[in-house]
Amino acid sequence: MRPVLVLTHAAYEGPGLIGPALDAPLRVRTVVDATQPALPALDDVSGVVVMGGAMDADDDLHHPGLPAERALLADAVAADVPVLGVCLGAQLLAMALGGTLLRRHGTEIGFGPVDVHADDPVLGALGPRPTVLHWHSDAVSLPPGATLLASTPATPVQAFRQGSALGLQFHLELEPAMLALWLATPEMAADLSDDELDALRADGERHLPTLVPAARAAVAAFADQVRRRG
């Protein structure tokens, strides 16, 4: 089986539970700051997963690898390669498909529900109104031709599907160890008060026992798509 390409943008924002749940070989690359990114050919991978990061999805000046990531995503969808974009990854996917980045559209940090609007084989594993972790201030418009899957009042596009690609503005990859890492990482937590950090810890203890198994089931559904490509 060909490996799944995983694009990361920060050491503390890895694939989390997505990696083991894929049950496939992974090729992890971080090319966001490379002026000439070395990315595999799509014929050499069975799927593409793009993780989060603190940078803006259109900040090509400071992160010259972003255009290559967006081009790869556009080509992957055109070639019917399974794609999963998470947070920044969803924003890059939306831009690659003709959507617009909406900087500082509205900050969402913490656990909260998303309203599901359409059936999807991957997102559907989370349930009809799942509580998930949000950690973003940017948003995107719905790409032309894409299906809106989920929203919140603050973020009209929380999940979308276009062909082989699924974008999730929220964090599907989260597991307890990753949440603990984020809350201890200054780049993630510096702007949060002690009360906000305590609330995130408490909410994680309450929601992750339900969310983690559902997220693994969702990734397993994506893994089925990857295995069909082989």
Side-chain angles (χ1 to χ4, degrees):
M1 181 176 178
R2 291 171 287 186
V4 175
L5 174 65
V6 180
L7 295 176
T8 62
H9 307 92
Y12 49 85
E13 293 206 51
L17 65 77
I18 292 174
L22 278 175
D23 192 27
L26 304 181
R27 182 178 295 181
V28 181
R29 296 283 180 86
T30 303
V31 301
V32 62
D33 293 327
T35 54
Q36 293 182 314
L39 292 170
L42 289 173
D43 285 345
D44 295 333
V45 302
S46 58
V48 179
V49 176
V50 189
M51 302 310 304
M55 60 285 298
D56 294 313
D58 62 355
D59 191 2
D60 300 352
L61 177 64
H62 297 103
H63 303 286
L66 290 175
E69 291 192 33
R70 295 195 300 268
L72 178 79
L73 290 170
D75 291 345
V77 176
D80 203 31
V81 177
V83 174
L84 176 62
V86 176
C87 200
L88 173 65
Q91 296 166 7
L92 291 166
L93 175 63
M95 291 181 65
L97 299 175
T100 301
L101 183 70
L102 308 172
R103 286 194 181 194
R104 315 304 176 258
H105 183 271
T107 299
E108 288 183 295
I109 298 177
F111 288 87
V114 293
D115 295 312
V116 176
H117 304 294
D119 292 334
D120 184 82
V122 177
L123 181 66
L126 298 182
R129 195 170 188 262
T131 293
V132 295
L133 180 70
H134 308 273
W135 205 307
H136 68 100
S137 59
D138 292 350
V140 291
S141 66
L142 187 67
T147 299
L148 177 67
L149 299 178
S151 67
T152 60
T155 306
V157 181
Q158 280 283 357
F160 66 91
R161 163 77 65 184
Q162 184 157 322
S164 61
L166 173 65
L168 303 175
Q169 182 57 64
F170 54 86
H171 288 278
L172 183 75
E173 78 277 25
L174 193 74
E175 51 192 347
M178 177 171 278
L179 178 60
L181 173 63
W182 287 4
L183 297 181
T185 299
E187 292 89 339
M188 295 289 287
D191 294 333
L192 301 177
S193 68
D194 289 343
D195 287 345
E196 289 170 323
L197 293 172
D198 289 342
L200 277 164
R201 290 188 188 96
D203 286 346
E205 291 177 359
R206 182 163 65 252
H207 294 299
L208 286 176
T210 300
L211 178 58
V212 167
R216 287 179 178 144
V219 177
F222 177 73
D224 287 341
Q225 299 171 355
V226 168
R227 279 190 291 273
R228 285 196 292 272
R229 177 171 167 81

